[in-house]
Amino acid sequence: MANVASPYGLNPIKLIGGQAFNGGVIREYKVASNNSAAIFNGDLVVLSSAGLPSAVSATPTAIDIPNAANATAGIVGVCVGARYVDATGVSQYANYLPANSITAGYTEVYVRVMDDPDALFQVQGTAALGTFNSGTDGSGYPGAIGKNAALDFNTAGKTTTGKSGVALLVGANGSSLATTTTLAVRIVDVVDGTQTDDYPEFVVKLNVGVHSYNNPLGV
């Protein structure tokens, strides 16, 4: 039951269409200059024009196909950890990358990213679905599936757990769920048993063009 707001970011759980899932394809991106902000497990990772990874800090946009507008460029997936040699010379595999890793004396710093554009993620919602287009059981379950949604970045990641604070922006009674083409994710499912919770859990996929591999706009 999700009756406490405890967002944990985007957690990869499977691939769309029943494709084989072995935990996710991981690509490592080198952090060659200091990261001013932490990159938490479950954060979206975006590349700069110099190819340097950082955490996304605001909800991305998808391709607006009717108006031929580009999506946010450079998002390569979701952080699932980091590896580095710490200031004492010990190799570390960590749940997240702390802020200012280079100035702290870390070397060989890499962010580990689940970069499959077909990935499905589990994420906590920011509010109850309530009466939103509910079915006969009042769960809100049927009406949420297939809607688009933005991501919420109002909760900071936790250094104690290394987990992201990113959540799905639901709004009161599902008011933030919409058909809008530019919203970041598509809702694929509502996790069974959480439909009537204060903070339901969702299965989502990055919308068209949010992932760099599906976006013709380079960095």
Side-chain angles (χ1 to χ4, degrees), residues 20-218:
F21 180 71
N22 62 357
V25 177
I26 295 175
R27 185 176 299 277
E28 294 186 330
Y29 290 90
K30 186 174 179 62
V31 181
S33 62
N34 194 56
N35 56 306
S36 59
I39 304 176
F40 290 99
N41 193 303
D43 277 347
L44 283 171
V45 175
V46 62
L47 296 183
S48 70
S49 59
L52 300 174
S54 63
V56 174
S57 59
T59 189
T61 57
I63 291 176
D64 186 1
I65 293 174
N67 298 304
N70 285 315
T72 304
I75 293 174
V76 291
V78 170
C79 175
V80 292
R83 71 175 177 92
Y84 49 82
V85 177
D86 67 19
T88 67
V90 177
S91 294
Q92 303 282 358
Y93 282 83
N95 206 31
Y96 81 110
L97 182 66
N100 300 310
S101 59
I102 302 300
T103 57
Y106 295 4
T107 59
E108 296 300 311
V109 181
Y110 292 87
V111 175
R112 296 163 63 83
V113 177
M114 199 289 196
D115 74 338
D116 196 318
D118 286 340
L120 296 177
F121 302 95
Q122 186 165 328
V123 61
Q124 188 179 62
T126 59
L129 286 167
T131 59
F132 175 72
N133 197 20
S134 59
T136 55
D137 62 353
S139 67
Y141 178 89
I145 295 175
K147 291 293 191 296
N148 294 333
L151 295 173
D152 180 88
F153 289 79
N154 288 320
T155 301
K158 297 179 176 64
T159 57
T160 52
T161 63
K163 298 297 289 183
S164 169
V166 173
L168 188 82
L169 184 62
V170 175
N173 292 315
S175 58
S176 294
L177 309 183
T179 61
T180 309
T181 58
T182 54
L183 292 175
V185 298
R186 172 69 52 81
I187 297 172
V188 176
D189 204 354
V190 184
V191 176
D192 193 34
T194 75
Q195 296 97 324
T196 59
D197 287 358
D198 292 339
Y199 304 96
E201 305 273 336
F202 296 86
V203 177
V204 301
K205 182 184 181 298
L206 297 180
N207 233 331
V208 178
V210 172
H211 197 294
S212 181
Y213 299 168
N214 293 329
N215 186 352
L217 181 64

